[in-house]
Amino acid sequence: MPHPTVGTHGRLIAGLTGLLLAMGLPVLPGHAGMSAEELMVDPIEEGMTEEERQARREAIERERQAAEERRREREAAERAEREAREAELAARPYPVRLTERRCMECHDAGDFDREARTWPGWAFTVWRMRLAYGAELESGEWRVITDHLAETHGAPASKAAATWTLLALTPILIAALLWYLMRGRRQR
Ligand code: HEC
């Protein structure tokens, strides 16, 4: 036999809740969201005496209150967990949060896990993201992010040394190339 008291009631409320949600209205918490399954008590049945009905009604009411209490406790636990998680996220160091805010709009956390770059390598990447894809950075933020990524996703020392050497040599190489080209022109 279906649950006439709770079942119809529950369905009606579920329907109304759905309608409110569909209209974008906030749904107030209350016993409204409680389903028949949550009320673990038998419904009022036909053929019951008035005393039996009364007793059943009281049992239903007690169970409803108990279910509401369970729901409140569950919500409090969920809220505490959520707040703890938010506090934990907010307590992370500024460079971590900044990198997340500026880069994770397009990337997923963990995207850079396998990256190992030198400081200039990360600086180049950050600027490339900025110029090519419009990653929004306020002045100086590129440096905070670069420092942070170079520290947490740095290249091995040998690669870093090679990069810095190459960077240091670049002006000399360019000068040498220019000198070579000019000399070639003068001789022609
Ligand atoms: C507006 C979107 C966007 C933002 C914001 C963004 N990126 Fe990217 N990023 C991309 C796209 C698209 C690619 C893939 C195409 C490519 O590599 O050019 C990419 C590729 C990358 C790569 C791998 C390719 C490479 O350069 O070797 C890295 C590393 C990277 N992004 C780092 C960052 C960092 C660090 C930030 C934060 C400063 C950032 N991204 C912010 C869009 C974005």
Side-chain angles (χ1 to χ4, degrees), residues 102-103 106-107 112 117 122 125-126 128-129 133 135 149:
R102 299 301 187 221
C103 310
C106 304
H107 296 280
F112 309 149
R117 297 178 184 203
W122 277 118
T125 303
V126 170
R128 197 166 71 78
M129 292 300 129
Y133 303 116
L149 287 170

Side-chain angles (χ1 to χ4, degrees), residues 80-100:
E81 201 179 309
R82 196 168 53 240
E83 280 168 8
R85 203 164 43 234
E86 276 163 15
E88 203 178 301
L89 288 179
R92 293 169 312 155
Y94 168 66
V96 177
R97 284 180 288 130
L98 185 69
T99 304
E100 186 176 285

Side-chain angles (χ1 to χ4, degrees), residues 53-68:
R53 283 170 185 270
Q54 185 54 31
R56 197 48 72 77
R57 265 197 290 275
E58 282 164 13
I60 289 176
E61 179 54 22
R62 271 197 304 281
E63 177 54 29
R64 194 186 67 72
Q65 281 170 5
E68 191 149 342

Side-chain angles (χ1 to χ4, degrees), residues 1-9 31 34-45 48 52-68 70:
M1 155 144 197
H3 291 201
T5 318
V6 171
T8 327
H9 191 201
H31 87 288
M34 221 171 274
S35 67
E37 291 71 39
E38 276 183 276
L39 292 179
M40 292 175 292
V41 69
D42 291 333
I44 294 173
E45 286 164 27
M48 281 179 142
E52 281 171 340
R53 283 170 185 270
Q54 185 54 31
R56 197 48 72 77
R57 265 197 290 275
E58 282 164 13
I60 289 176
E61 179 54 22
R62 271 197 304 281
E63 177 54 29
R64 194 186 67 72
Q65 281 170 5
E68 191 149 342
R70 284 197 295 276

